[in-house]
Amino acid sequence: MTGATRAGGSGSTESTRTGLSTAGLPSWLDPVVEAARTVRPTQLSRFLPPAGDDVRESAVLILFGDGAQGPELLLMERSGTLRSHAGQPSFPGGALDPEDGDPEDGAPLRAALREAEEETGLDPAGVQLFGVLPKLFIPVSRFAVTPVLGWWREPSPVGVVDPAETARVFTVPVADLTEPANRATVVHPSGFQGPAFLVESALVWGFTAGLIDRILHYAGWERPWDRTREVPLDRLS
């Protein structure tokens, strides 16, 4: 991965219509752009949004930046007092609000930026949205989640805005996420098993880890790792 940028791309012409643009992205993001263009929902997860009115529309911001150790991702740790996903590292994001507009006309993009600003204090003006992954489903919360891809073109200070919602805001170098020694399979008492990352004094697992795992895989960044290495969640409580 290098820090070079490109003049434009196949998605750069969509900026007016959708709010997405690939113009000027660093060239190391090219595989992510291509993955977003070609990946199918079932390649990301077996949990896809069902039909029905009880599904809650939401969005998360998968924000790539260029840090001191190279490409990095922005993550946050949710407050331990929340009813849902308490204490878990995650991407910034949340439910769509009426102010975000039509879910079929850019609302997930607006929601991802709004939630990221509310949770981490980042300046949305410095974020360039360049892609959207297929909508996925979190059964336990009934969230239909649209993953929105962004490039932190002009980084701004971030941190905890509301301690009742967020315990910590941090970035993780992509090199640490691809390091085999930082990877494991998490085992939940319910029987759930999935990829996990032990980075920045945190265990990233669940929906967030699953997305990171698939992005690394389809971007061609994944390195062979020991899938038999298990981390039981009940030992962490």
Side-chain angles (χ1 to χ4, degrees):
M1 290 178 284
T2 68
T5 60
R6 58 180 179 179
S10 60
S12 61
T13 58
E14 296 186 4
S15 59
T16 300
R17 182 173 62 85
T18 67
L20 302 175
S21 173
T22 59
L25 292 180
S27 57
W28 56 262
L29 274 174
D30 284 356
V32 181
V33 173
E34 179 63 13
R37 188 183 70 82
T38 59
V39 73
R40 298 187 301 273
T42 53
Q43 292 177 306
L44 295 178
S45 174
R46 64 188 177 91
F47 296 111
L48 304 180
D53 295 335
D54 61 338
V55 172
R56 305 164 66 191
E57 294 286 344
S58 65
V60 296
L61 179 63
I62 304 176
L63 184 59
F64 291 90
D66 202 352
Q69 300 179 58
E72 62 184 15
L73 276 175
L74 178 68
L75 294 177
M76 51 175 276
E77 186 176 312
R78 299 197 174 278
S79 170
T81 60
L82 293 176
R83 290 185 301 174
S84 180
H85 309 294
Q88 280 189 238
S90 68
F91 297 116
L96 270 60
D97 284 350
E99 66 193 76
D100 298 320
D102 186 348
E104 304 302 324
D105 187 25
L109 308 186
R110 292 185 286 272
L113 288 175
R114 174 182 54 74
E115 287 282 344
E117 180 179 18
E118 292 175 359
E119 293 175 331
T120 73
L122 69 75
D123 182 0
V127 176
Q128 177 180 335
L129 303 181
F130 66 87
V132 175
L133 296 178
K135 189 181 299 186
L136 304 176
F137 187 58
I138 303 179
V140 66
S141 58
R142 304 295 297 174
F143 275 128
V145 185
T146 299
V148 179
L149 300 167
W151 161 240
W152 214 350
R153 178 172 35 83
E154 298 177 9
S156 54
V158 292
V160 174
V161 175
D162 183 357
E165 292 192 3
T166 308
R168 181 165 65 120
V169 177
F170 59 102
T171 57
V172 180
V174 171
D176 287 353
L177 294 167
T178 61
E179 168 56 52
N182 296 337
R183 304 211 56 180
T185 297
V186 75
V187 181
H188 192 276
S190 67
F192 167 83
Q193 296 188 21
F197 300 84
L198 295 97
V199 291
E200 300 297 322
S201 302
L203 175 67
V204 184
W205 65 283
F207 179 81
T208 302
L211 266 178
I212 294 174
D213 173 77
R214 293 296 80 196
I215 289 171
L216 297 181
H217 177 76
Y218 288 108
W221 297 345
E222 184 179 35
R223 297 166 60 188
W225 56 282
D226 183 4
R227 297 174 185 272
T228 66
R229 180 191 180 195
E230 296 185 349
V231 177
L233 277 180
D234 54 354
R235 295 184 183 177
L236 301 176
S237 58

